[in-house]
Amino acid sequence: IMVEGGFESAYEQKYPVSGLQGNLVKVPTVGVSIGVSSIAEMQLDGGFYNRLAIRQRDSAAPLAGLLDVPGTSTSDVDNAVIGMKLRILSERATRPAFGFRFATKLPNAGSANGLGPDTTDFFASVLAAKTKDSVRVVANLGMGILGDATNGSRQNDVLIYGASVARAFTDRAELVGEVNGRVSTRAGKAFPGTETRGLLRLGGRYTRNAIRFDTAAYFGLTPDDPSIGVTLGFTYVFQAFDIP
């Protein structure tokens, strides 16, 4: 079992569906991954508390009329993501490892608080990873089906992508760079909440025994992303049970 926890803060986080914009704090961010066989892993990610300090409101946003936020801040739980990751091919000297991941995002954050579009989304992607000496490269490419928050009969199919490079300097410390996001494939303007998005992360990790600590700064790659943000977290891995 791998347990993850942490803190995240984003400056100028935008919510096109509700029209809210401001500084977002997530605490704690939580993730649990459970190995259920030698090639399969169940994943659950989410958070207990998101708080947005509101700096701007757009009354013309599609669901602005549903807001029940009279003050200068709003809060809600984070949307939970439930997924499964499968290893298809193990890494070899002449090839990377390959896997497949599928996941569903649940509509836990409500539209009344402005922090969620109340849609259920689905994602599927192919994974690849290769280690060479002290450098590890990981990439994923796939598709997502995002519901339209303004019309339940419509959806936007998006391309999802990600890539990271980790460079170890000692047996405990490494630097990491990562880019990930999605690209709308709809002809014309994307439905609110399904826009093209992207983030660039730069940070480091330090491992001591079964615990890994990490910190990073991230930067938005599109006008709909936060301008800058920071994350702090830890990962703890332990043997919980034996697989029969």
Side-chain angles (χ1 to χ4, degrees), residues 78-169:
D78 202 1
N79 293 312
V81 178
I82 300 175
M84 174 72 76
K85 184 166 64 175
L86 303 173
R87 188 180 70 220
I88 307 302
L89 292 173
S90 299
E91 183 175 346
R92 295 288 187 266
T94 57
R95 70 155 192 253
F98 288 97
F100 179 75
R101 180 180 185 268
F102 59 90
T104 299
K105 180 181 73 66
L106 304 179
N108 302 95
S111 55
N113 292 328
L115 302 185
D118 272 334
T119 61
T120 300
D121 305 326
F122 177 79
F123 306 91
S125 56
V126 176
L127 318 173
K130 187 74 172 75
T131 301
K132 178 66 174 177
D133 299 327
S134 60
V135 177
R136 182 165 178 79
V137 179
V138 179
N140 69 272
L141 184 67
M143 55 85 69
I145 301 174
L146 310 184
D148 178 8
T150 64
N151 186 333
S153 64
R154 301 188 303 186
Q155 67 187 43
N156 187 10
D157 299 334
V158 299
L159 175 73
I160 58 175
Y161 65 90
S164 69
V165 178
R167 170 68 160 86
F169 287 91

Side-chain angles (χ1 to χ4, degrees), residues 3 8 27 31 36 49 58 98 100 142 148-149 228:
V3 178
E8 181 175 338
V27 58
V36 293
Y49 183 72
D58 181 4
F98 288 97
F100 179 75
D148 178 8
I228 191 172

